[in-house]
Amino acid sequence: MSSSSGRVIAVDTHDIRFPTSRELDGSDAMNPDPDYSAAYVVLRTDADDALEGHGFTFTIGRGNEVQVAAIEALRPHVLGRPVDELCADPGSLVRDLTGDSQLRWLGPEKGVMHMAIGAVANAVWDLAAKRARKPLWQLLADATPEWLVAQVDFRYIADVLTPEDALHLLRRGREGSAARTELLRERGFPGYTTSPGWLGYSDEKLTRLARQAVADGFTQIKLKVGADLADDMRRCRAARAAVGPGIRIAIDANQRWNVGEAIEWTKALAEFDPYWIEEPTSPDDVLGHASVREAVAPVKVATGEHVQNRIIFKQLLQAGAVDVLQIDAARVGGVNENLAILLLAAKFGVPVCPHAGGVGLCELVQHLSMFDYVALAGTVEDRVIEYVDHLHDHFLDPVVIGEGHYMAPTAPGFSATMRPESIAEFTFPGGAFWAADLAERARGEQRTAKGRKGEAA
Amino acid sequence: MSSSSGRVIAVDTHDIRFPTSRELDGSDAMNPDPDYSAAYVVLRTDADDALEGHGFTFTIGRGNEVQVAAIEALRPHVLGRPVDELCADPGSLVRDLTGDSQLRWLGPEKGVMHMAIGAVANAVWDLAAKRARKPLWQLLADATPEWLVAQVDFRYIADVLTPEDALHLLRRGREGSAARTELLRERGFPGYTTSPGWLGYSDEKLTRLARQAVADGFTQIKLKVGADLADDMRRCRAARAAVGPGIRIAIDANQRWNVGEAIEWTKALAEFDPYWIEEPTSPDDVLGHASVREAVAPVKVATGEHVQNRIIFKQLLQAGAVDVLQIDAARVGGVNENLAILLLAAKFGVPVCPHAGGVGLCELVQHLSMFDYVALAGTVEDRVIEYVDHLHDHFLDPVVIGEGHYMAPTAPGFSATMRPESIAEFTFPGGAFWAADLAERARGEQRTAKGRKGEAA
């Protein structure tokens, strides 16, 4: 390896927060006031091509600084790595990151440390795809089954999915992939929209946005539920009236319920023909989801956005606990672990309908679904990617939606690169937006304190 | 509430690391070189009694700074709280901490953020017990069943354990508690020792320490296994020869194996009559543990030190996946969540044998087992607390072991208070030990660099 091919010379981190809580965008039964945020990482190299790898973890505000600290704890593993080797085998880095015996204690493979690993791994994949001059979905679809299998960590899942199983699935997945690539480029991948259904919206806004969604070509919408049953019934009725019988309405409780509550509440909403109930209870509760699924059929059970790793996904499939698997691009250990999860889903024949929204999650996860369609599952039947119309303008290569479909990205990379001016403005607490905001709050507090003094005097 | 009773005025944090890796103390198949560490928190108040609440999360070195950052993210929830209210109902704070909707995204209830909640919750319990002038085990044993039930969060476990179930178990547990308190004060609670069995020790050292353990009155020892089968067989043979047939030998794989490997390896070691196989695979793999347990009986299956929360413990019990439940005082959400786990274990009649060792884990967890004995499970049969003879001298109220038993603490509090001089010396990186160590390393690197220059010249 010649030194001119470059090494990683910097792992820059950014604490970026958008003040979304002020509009009640993104409000649900568990998350009343999220400030959509990213713990953002940029890998810089001294290679001649001057390409950077961008990655991030999505959070909803407070604690984003903890996530940044976790990414920084990984820095020594990344600095100095030869770029060619890194991009030729991102899995080698991921194994080092998950295998750091001291950091592993903080998980293992879950929560803050694991999300940090995902951010760094995804930054490497972004760099690898940029260097290959391909959008990530295509890099994955063009890769050999053998190479893809080598990117997967089979530890703790080999009792259900062996490397040989994975090879078989990927070889089968390649059959007809050229034709599917053409179809994908032409039509895109189906999406569904959550934009009408935030809990903080009025019925009028819900109805208007639901109609708009159908007009825009979406065949599925989603409503947040779980705070108040009477409200949920009224909102589901309004949504069903707005979209008619032919459109799927998913409902999403964001982990609000115990198992028993989940069953009762879902049955109470069944008259509005919900397509799936999402996150009925804790994402850790495999057996709980199995109970819910058995009780609420034919309403389907979906979960995954908060599922911590491939080991829980494995068990959700083993236990027959879900009808729909919802991967998230930035919660597990990056593309590598999502490959494992896509392979598990393929083995069990369960459709993958990714979670998205937040900051940049749509941008990332579309690549994984498109790879799944072209080169693994081989179908879009009952597959949809969540779409939320938030914050896309902050990205250099934002998602493009046409007729309710995600259009296939064509730019090289993982669509993860945020605009430099957005990073500058929304860096917390020093960026222009937050500096002004915090100064304004401080003035407000001063005025209040003076008022109180006046009263007391 | 009069203001003279005080409020929390400071949440101080300390990154404390002990250089244990240099002696191979604590080495196992997954953790070859741990530097036993604590992300330490001190709650200070302006109450007249000048008492402090001390708590911590145990880590094994790198990443301890991430854990400290997570504790600091909780500070706004704690500062300003009236001390009387806090100590009268620690659960109200824990609910606020786990319920912070933005921080919750970083878990939920797992990994770095959840361990931070545990550290803060335990600091409150330490303060509450100091103010009550009781060791924590006694504060818990003296509490009413109704109050204890109110300290538990039943979310996500109510399908298996209701508040009514818990009340029934606690009322039953009180019967005969006075007599058990006397017995506990007289004889202590049984321990077992892991000190002979670290993977980095020679066979000679293992044999010597195993004989010493029996001479010291322990009736169970533990060996680390999982790196190399031939080594494990040789070491198990040596240990069995050293202790004879009447002493229990537990073996501990520290999550090293896949399910299939766990079964094969344990069967291969069965000839040495191991009492339990601990952490045979991922702590997240409920169904995997169930498979292992079915296959390796009569060897028992134990796990829990890395189990992230009550929801996974619930499922381990539901699925019949474990014979022995191993709580850890500092991984889950503090005393409150451990109460939930003790109640779940009591409901299923599964013995709790806590994980300990590390930094201060013995000091903490003895209180939970002693409460369990006196006022919940009501027996010490097949119950033992792990004991490791590390780092106790750094605590003001270290554990006292007599005839292989943990003697009941008598000092008020949770035995969590570290000596100020230990905090000062081992604070990373600025404490006296690390400052000298890092300076020495820097000089070594300079010498190496000069040597290289000399060679190149």
Side-chain angles (χ1 to χ4, degrees):
Chain A
M1 182 81 36
S2 81
S3 69
S4 69
S5 62
R7 290 180 182 269
V8 177
I9 57 166
V11 178
D12 299 329
T13 58
H14 305 274
D15 181 342
I16 303 165
R17 308 190 191 191
F18 298 98
T20 47
S21 62
R22 297 166 197 204
E23 299 294 327
L24 294 184
D25 296 339
S27 56
D28 63 50
M30 291 295 270
N31 309 296
D33 58 350
D35 281 329
Y36 282 3
S37 301
Y40 197 84
V41 58
V42 180
L43 308 182
R44 287 190 288 119
T45 82
D46 59 4
D48 297 338
D49 58 22
L51 293 171
E52 297 173 343
H54 290 231
F56 53 87
T57 302
F58 168 61
T59 83
I60 62 173
R62 286 185 296 280
N64 204 44
E65 76 283 8
V66 180
Q67 199 58 60
V68 168
I71 293 172
E72 289 177 352
L74 300 172
R75 187 177 278 141
H77 286 285
V78 187
L79 278 180
R81 288 237 178 192
V83 181
D84 284 350
E85 280 178 39
L86 195 59
C87 293
D89 183 13
S92 66
L93 172 66
V94 175
R95 276 189 297 277
D96 287 352
L97 297 177
T98 56
D100 181 311
S101 63
Q102 295 188 0
L103 295 176
R104 192 177 181 281
W105 193 270
L106 302 175
E109 299 190 62
K110 59 181 66 76
V112 167
M113 270 326 301
H114 203 47
M115 290 158 76
I117 289 171
V120 172
N122 284 345
V124 172
W125 284 97
D126 180 56
L127 181 60
K130 284 171 177 167
R131 285 168 66 96
R133 298 194 177 83
K134 294 178 181 179
L136 181 76
W137 68 267
Q138 194 187 339
L139 179 148
L140 294 172
D142 290 349
T144 66
E146 291 76 11
W147 185 83
L148 289 168
V149 167
Q151 292 304 307
V152 171
D153 183 356
F154 290 89
R155 178 172 270 185
Y156 305 138
I157 58 172
D159 53 324
V160 165
L161 180 81
T162 65
E164 296 69 36
D165 294 337
L167 205 56
H168 170 74
L169 290 164
L170 287 161
R171 284 180 180 151
R172 192 187 67 187
R174 291 189 111 181
E175 293 164 21
S177 67
R180 287 193 296 277
T181 302
E182 287 311 299
L183 280 173
L184 175 70
R185 289 201 165 110
E186 196 181 309
R187 301 182 196 168
F189 192 103
Y192 76 93
T193 176
T194 305
S195 293
W198 300 111
L199 215 52
Y201 287 178
S202 69
D203 290 5
E204 183 279 322
K205 189 169 183 179
L206 186 164
T207 298
R208 177 167 50 81
L209 292 174
R211 287 197 182 129
Q212 186 63 50
V214 177
D216 289 343
F218 290 102
T219 56
Q220 177 174 326
I221 65 169
K222 190 162 77 187
L223 261 59
K224 300 293 184 175
V225 297
D228 182 276
L229 181 56
D231 281 353
D232 288 348
M233 295 189 73
R234 199 190 67 247
R235 294 168 67 254
C236 282
R237 185 174 289 114
R240 181 54 78 200
V243 302
I247 297 292
R248 288 176 175 173
I249 301 178
I251 56 175
D252 182 357
N254 290 86
Q255 314 164 25
R256 181 64 183 253
W257 302 316
N258 281 324
V259 171
E261 294 171 300
I263 292 169
E264 285 169 36
W265 204 297
T266 304
K267 284 185 166 177
L269 296 174
E271 64 174 293
F272 307 107
D273 190 22
Y275 181 61
W276 76 50
I277 173 65
E278 178 172 332
E279 289 204 305
T281 189
S282 165
D284 305 344
D285 198 351
V286 171
L287 301 178
H289 277 86
S291 299
V292 173
R293 182 172 178 237
E294 198 180 337
V296 305
V299 178
K300 297 179 188 294
V301 169
T303 199
E305 75 175 82
H306 269 85
V307 169
Q308 64 203 32
N309 59 32
R310 67 197 179 282
I311 306 155
I312 302 288
F313 276 110
K314 175 187 79 168
Q315 294 174 83
L316 286 167
L317 293 163
Q318 279 180 291
V322 289
D323 301 280
V324 174
L325 215 60
Q326 300 181 293
I327 60 170
D328 181 287
R331 182 165 289 275
V332 300
V335 171
N336 304 72
E337 192 162 24
N338 266 319
L339 282 174
I341 297 162
L342 291 174
L343 285 161
L344 283 164
K347 170 140 186 192
F348 282 86
V350 168
V352 173
C353 297
H355 168 248
V359 177
L361 297 180
C362 301
E363 277 67 21
L364 296 188
V365 86
Q366 60 180 337
H367 290 274
L368 301 176
S369 275
M370 290 175 187
F371 157 73
D372 190 34
Y373 168 54
V374 169
L376 181 52
T379 175
V380 293
E381 196 182 335
D382 289 335
R383 269 97 174 153
V384 276
I385 306 172
E386 183 167 23
Y387 175 68
V388 187
D389 57 358
H390 288 167
L391 306 172
H392 300 291
D393 292 347
H394 298 294
F395 288 86
L396 281 180
D397 182 27
V399 292
V400 177
I401 302 291
E403 286 292 317
H405 285 60
Y406 277 78
M407 303 314 293
T410 55
F414 201 178
S415 308
T417 306
M418 203 181 278
R419 293 182 180 280
E421 59 271 28
S422 295
I423 294 177
E425 183 170 2
F426 292 101
T427 290
F428 184 88
F433 174 84
W434 291 109
D437 185 75
L438 295 169
E440 175 58 33
R441 280 198 225 181
R443 280 194 296 274
E445 278 165 27
Q446 269 184 337
R447 277 195 298 272
T448 311
K450 273 186 195 161
R452 267 201 232 104
K453 267 192 192 165
E455 283 167 32
Chain B
M1 181 82 33
S2 82
S3 69
S4 68
S5 62
R7 291 179 182 268
V8 178
I9 57 165
V11 179
D12 298 328
T13 58
H14 304 275
D15 181 342
I16 302 165
R17 308 190 191 191
F18 298 98
T20 46
S21 63
R22 298 171 197 200
E23 299 293 326
L24 296 182
D25 297 341
S27 57
D28 64 48
M30 292 296 270
N31 308 297
D33 59 349
D35 280 330
Y36 282 4
S37 302
Y40 198 84
V41 58
V42 180
L43 308 182
R44 287 190 289 118
T45 83
D46 59 4
D48 297 336
D49 58 23
L51 294 171
E52 298 174 341
H54 289 232
F56 53 88
T57 302
F58 169 59
T59 82
I60 60 172
R62 287 186 294 280
N64 203 45
E65 76 282 8
V66 180
Q67 198 57 61
V68 168
I71 293 172
E72 289 176 352
L74 301 172
R75 186 177 277 141
H77 287 284
V78 187
L79 278 179
R81 289 235 178 193
V83 181
D84 283 351
E85 280 179 40
L86 195 58
C87 293
D89 182 11
S92 66
L93 173 66
V94 176
R95 278 190 295 277
D96 286 352
L97 297 177
T98 57
D100 180 311
S101 64
Q102 294 188 359
L103 295 176
R104 192 177 181 282
W105 193 269
L106 302 175
E109 297 189 63
K110 60 179 62 78
V112 167
M113 271 326 300
H114 202 48
M115 290 158 75
I117 289 170
V120 172
N122 284 345
V124 172
W125 283 98
D126 180 56
L127 181 59
K130 285 171 176 166
R131 286 167 66 96
R133 297 195 179 85
K134 292 179 183 180
L136 181 76
W137 68 267
Q138 195 187 341
L139 180 147
L140 294 172
D142 289 349
T144 66
E146 291 74 13
W147 185 82
L148 289 168
V149 167
Q151 292 304 307
V152 171
D153 183 356
F154 290 88
R155 178 171 270 186
Y156 305 140
I157 58 171
D159 53 325
V160 164
L161 179 81
T162 64
E164 295 70 34
D165 295 335
L167 205 55
H168 170 74
L169 290 164
L170 288 161
R171 284 180 180 153
R172 193 187 65 186
R174 291 189 110 179
E175 294 164 18
S177 66
R180 287 192 297 276
T181 302
E182 287 311 300
L183 279 173
L184 176 70
R185 289 202 165 111
E186 195 181 309
R187 301 183 195 168
F189 193 102
Y192 75 93
T193 176
T194 304
S195 294
W198 301 110
L199 216 51
Y201 286 0
S202 68
D203 290 5
E204 183 279 322
K205 190 168 183 180
L206 185 164
T207 298
R208 178 167 50 82
L209 292 174
R211 287 197 182 131
Q212 185 64 51
V214 177
D216 289 344
F218 290 103
T219 56
Q220 178 174 327
I221 65 169
K222 190 162 78 185
L223 261 58
K224 299 294 185 173
V225 297
D228 180 276
L229 182 56
D231 281 354
D232 288 349
M233 295 188 73
R234 201 190 63 247
R235 294 169 66 256
C236 283
R237 186 173 289 118
R240 181 54 77 200
V243 302
I247 298 292
R248 288 176 175 173
I249 300 178
I251 56 175
D252 182 357
N254 289 89
Q255 314 165 24
R256 180 65 182 252
W257 302 316
N258 282 322
V259 171
E261 295 171 299
I263 292 169
E264 286 169 36
W265 204 298
T266 305
K267 285 186 166 178
L269 295 175
E271 63 174 295
F272 307 108
D273 190 22
Y275 181 63
W276 74 51
I277 172 67
E278 177 172 333
E279 289 204 304
T281 190
S282 165
D284 306 344
D285 197 350
V286 172
L287 301 178
H289 277 85
S291 298
V292 172
R293 181 172 178 237
E294 199 182 335
V296 305
V299 178
K300 297 179 187 296
V301 170
T303 198
E305 73 175 82
H306 269 85
V307 169
Q308 65 203 29
N309 59 32
R310 67 197 179 283
I311 306 154
I312 301 288
F313 275 109
K314 174 187 80 169
Q315 295 174 84
L316 286 167
L317 293 164
Q318 279 181 291
V322 288
D323 300 281
V324 174
L325 215 61
Q326 302 182 292
I327 60 169
D328 181 288
R331 182 164 289 274
V332 301
V335 171
N336 304 72
E337 191 163 23
N338 266 320
L339 282 174
I341 297 163
L342 290 174
L343 285 161
L344 284 164
K347 170 141 186 192
F348 283 86
V350 169
V352 174
C353 297
H355 169 248
V359 176
L361 298 181
C362 301
E363 276 68 22
L364 295 188
V365 88
Q366 59 180 338
H367 291 274
L368 301 176
S369 275
M370 290 175 188
F371 157 73
D372 190 34
Y373 168 54
V374 170
L376 182 50
T379 176
V380 292
E381 195 182 337
D382 290 335
R383 270 98 173 152
V384 277
I385 306 172
E386 184 167 23
Y387 174 67
V388 188
D389 56 358
H390 289 168
L391 306 173
H392 301 291
D393 292 348
H394 298 294
F395 288 85
L396 280 180
D397 181 27
V399 293
V400 176
I401 303 291
E403 284 292 315
H405 285 61
Y406 277 77
M407 302 315 292
T410 55
F414 201 175
S415 308
T417 305
M418 204 180 277
R419 294 182 179 279
E421 59 273 27
S422 295
I423 295 177
E425 183 170 2
F426 293 101
T427 290
F428 185 89
F433 174 85
W434 291 109
D437 184 75
L438 295 169
E440 176 59 32
R441 279 197 227 182
R443 280 193 295 275
E445 278 164 27
Q446 269 183 336
R447 277 195 298 272
T448 311
K450 274 186 195 161
R452 268 200 230 103
K453 266 192 194 166
E455 281 166 37

